[in-house]
Amino acid sequence: MLNEQNFMAKNLIIVESPAKARTISKFLGNEYTVTASMGHVRDLPSSKLGFDPKNGFSPEYEISKNKKKTVADLKKQIDKNTVVFLATDEDREGEAISWHLLQALGLEKRPVKRIVFHEITKPAILRALENPRDVDQNLVDAQQARRILDRAVGYELSPLLWKKIKPGLSAGRVQSVSVHILVEREREIRKFVPVEYWKIKADFAEFSAELKKLNGKTAKVVNESEALRIEASVKQGDFVVTEVDERMTNRNPAAPFTTSTIQQEASVKLGYSVKRTMVVAQQLYEGNFEIPDYSGGLITYMRTDSVALAELALTQAQEVISSEYGVKFGLKEPRLFKNRTANAQEAHEAIRPVDLSLKPSAVKDHLSSDQFRLYSMVWKRTLASQMASAEIARTTLKIEAGVKKECQFVAKGQRVVFPGFLQAYTEALEGQNPMVAEKDVILPKVEKDQQLPLKKLNLEQLFTKPPPRYTEASLVKKMESEGIGRPSTYAPTISTIQDRGYVEATPEKQLKPTSIGEVVTDFLTDHFAEIVNLGFTAKIERNFDRIANGEEKWVEMLGNFYQPFHQRVVEKDESVTRAEVLKRRELGTDPESGKPVSVSIGRYGPMVQIGTRDDEEKPRFASLPSNLNLNEVTFEEAMECFALPRTLGNYENGEEIIVNNGRFGPYVKLGKNFFSLPKGDDPLKTELAQAVEIIREGLEKKAKSTIHDFGDILVLDGRYGPYIRSAKKNYKIPKGVDPVSLDEAACLKIIAEAPPPKGFKGRKNKTAKKQTA
């Protein structure tokens, strides 16, 4: 038998992910073992507050259940002679993971080497190994402060939301202010009243000009009679060129990518969600793909708010620009960019290709489509940032018209004289096609005082539009500009507010708050204003920055926040009633009963109610479909909800098909089978043919996953393998038992012998986990 000592690593490098471990192990010899911690190994307990406010906020960390085996396996690889290198990410979260590993592996009292790198290449890894440091306690404390403060907000506010609004809700420091931003915008849209205005455009032989000024002031044509008066005037006079302005302008490229800008650009140009962008960027960083004659990641670390480029990258950029586009497209001196964020700290460099000479076309065959498109974007943007400015000739023509020469029309043209960085890349703006951003618009040669014969005058009636809803990209931009969150939190926050049902994405990929999202926001605004206040949230982020820089103590910072906050939670629990929070909205009177019709939030979500609890007869209730909002639903739409459940007809087997709205959304029912309606579908408008198709697809899917059907007992093949389902409970099939061989008696035996769920203490414990928002 092999001696256990043979399994001990001489040099053990611990990173977060297996993909990262595999890539790094390719660069090092047998004297190094590279393994993964699979992210955080310790956290605050999920079933209680997890820290002691009376004892310096001392946290009660514990090894996560799903990480106990990981920690045990890591310990087996360490003896007294093992040199341990902690190589987690270089941001605060990564620093905290390293610190937790020290504690979990019992390494606090022995020398351990902390190494950091922002690209996964052999030179970067070797350089990091030669320059180890200690774990930075300031960075760890900043992360601890964030974790404990977020736990305090989530753990204390969430039960209050359950009590005052609806069970299962949660509050979170960054998520709540993000929902607040969306709710405020939605209300702006709701209150918006369109205003009429007219655009007047004159068509000449080779170009068009738009009315810009009336009597020397900005033209505001607000109705048809004004437009017709202007039309009559200009048709009586001549159109005369009063000014020809030709000038050369330079356009400079955008800075290299940060986390925020890559998320925004990938959304606009590639149609990626922020989550998808970060997943693909992580893959490109970790480098877990096979490229001939190349090992390592393709881009630098993707969680950063810095726009700086390393000296080596600046030099290489000029070499690649010269070979790809020519010397005149390059720069004699590198172009340096200033960080837009007040305290850029998450990493030391912008997101860039590790090796700019590795063109997208050279790696295309070895990457997925998503990886190739994102890498191409990073490569082009980085190169463009170090290319010559574009030179653009812009021409402005000012044309006088009207009986009293009171109208000024303006035509603008442009011509790209030298494309510069545009040859490689054009930045996208939301709502604008990047392909036409600098498209040539050529105006004919005209002289001052030249008369222009009018071909046609166009009068167009328009109406002002409300501010647009935020998209994921524009919300990230808003969060960054307000100092809310950090590069590592943008994507998780946007995912969380959608997963929790506070926000939904429209078919146009815009973010719209749900009824629940608005009610929760109103409650927090009325009673915990600082939680949804942009300035306060940004101040907290600055506090974290100060802790990371060693300028503030984390315990003092938490003390200043926690005591007043905790006291307010206690006060509001006693003083605020549920009725006060829910603010029932009355819509009208039921014509049959004469009772009031209202909408509010019930135990299972938004609902319509006929009557009140004070009536002799019980009120009638109906669920409000997810496509209707509490604040927008009309009386007619609310009354239609009582038409549910609707019987649509019969299925092929003669059973009735019923469509209804339930606590998990609208569904079609056939016997004991339930099938969800597609997102956005209205159960009040669902037709028989559509329901039949949904049932057919659902039954086919169910048949594929059903191994045995014994009536009340099913043997199913799920995403984690075969299992037994009975009385709405799932049971594991013992190892070594073939699910196909099971009969009803064998299933009953497995159910009878199944152990009770671990940690089961009733409903209270089951829901406690939701408090850690």
Side-chain angles (χ1 to χ4, degrees), residues 382-439:
T382 307
L383 266 196
S385 75
Q386 296 306 312
M387 289 175 73
S389 302
E391 294 174 15
I392 301 165
R394 300 189 191 275
T395 305
T396 302
L397 302 182
K398 292 181 181 177
I399 302 157
E400 197 174 71
V403 174
K404 298 177 182 177
K405 299 180 180 178
E406 73 278 13
C407 301
Q408 185 187 83
F409 287 77
V410 175
K412 292 191 175 185
Q414 65 179 28
R415 179 171 52 88
V416 177
V417 177
F418 173 64
F421 76 91
L422 295 174
Q423 196 78 4
Y425 187 82
T426 307
E427 184 185 16
L429 299 173
E430 196 154 34
Q432 175 185 302
N433 182 348
M435 299 303 290
V436 298
E438 292 299 353
K439 188 178 178 182

Side-chain angles (χ1 to χ4, degrees), residues 207-407:
F207 68 100
S208 299
E210 191 177 327
L211 178 67
K212 291 293 184 184
K213 286 192 174 181
L214 265 177
N215 297 313
K217 295 179 181 177
T218 303
K220 290 181 181 177
V221 185
V222 297
N223 55 44
E224 187 177 18
S225 60
E226 273 193 50
L228 291 171
R229 195 159 52 246
I230 292 166
E231 179 185 37
S233 177
V234 298
K235 284 187 174 178
Q236 289 177 51
D238 295 320
F239 285 81
V240 179
V241 178
T242 57
E243 189 179 319
V244 179
D245 181 23
E246 294 178 324
R247 63 181 67 186
M248 288 296 298
T249 60
N250 286 349
R251 181 179 165 191
N252 294 321
F257 282 130
T258 61
T259 304
S260 163
T261 54
I262 197 173
Q263 289 172 350
Q264 293 170 52
E265 194 85 344
S267 173
V268 177
K269 275 194 169 179
L270 308 179
Y272 292 0
S273 67
V274 292
K275 183 178 180 180
R276 182 177 173 188
T277 298
M278 294 314 288
V279 167
V280 177
Q282 179 104 23
Q283 293 165 354
L284 292 171
Y285 167 67
E286 292 181 339
N288 196 30
F289 25 67
E290 297 297 326
I291 299 173
D293 304 319
Y294 183 82
S295 293
L298 286 174
I299 65 170
T300 53
Y301 190 54
M302 63 284 154
R303 282 187 276 277
T304 174
D305 48 16
S306 169
V307 291
L309 292 176
E311 203 69 44
L312 187 67
L314 292 170
T315 304
Q316 193 186 36
Q318 294 309 312
E319 294 169 2
V320 176
I321 291 164
S322 294
S323 65
E324 284 292 305
Y325 304 105
V327 178
K328 65 179 181 178
F329 283 87
L331 298 171
K332 290 180 181 176
E333 294 291 328
R335 183 183 282 108
L336 304 177
F337 296 88
K338 285 187 178 179
N339 286 311
R340 288 188 298 175
T341 47
N343 195 356
Q345 41 71 36
E346 294 292 345
H348 308 299
E349 210 180 339
I351 303 168
R352 63 163 174 86
V354 163
D355 182 355
L356 277 162
S357 68
L358 208 58
K359 294 193 290 185
S361 57
V363 296
K364 183 176 182 179
D365 292 343
H366 311 287
L367 302 178
S368 69
S369 172
D370 277 6
Q371 290 169 347
F372 168 71
R373 294 176 75 200
L374 196 66
Y375 179 68
S376 297
M377 205 171 77
V378 173
W379 186 84
K380 289 173 183 175
R381 172 93 163 214
T382 307
L383 266 196
S385 75
Q386 296 306 312
M387 289 175 73
S389 302
E391 294 174 15
I392 301 165
R394 300 189 191 275
T395 305
T396 302
L397 302 182
K398 292 181 181 177
I399 302 157
E400 197 174 71
V403 174
K404 298 177 182 177
K405 299 180 180 178
E406 73 278 13
C407 301

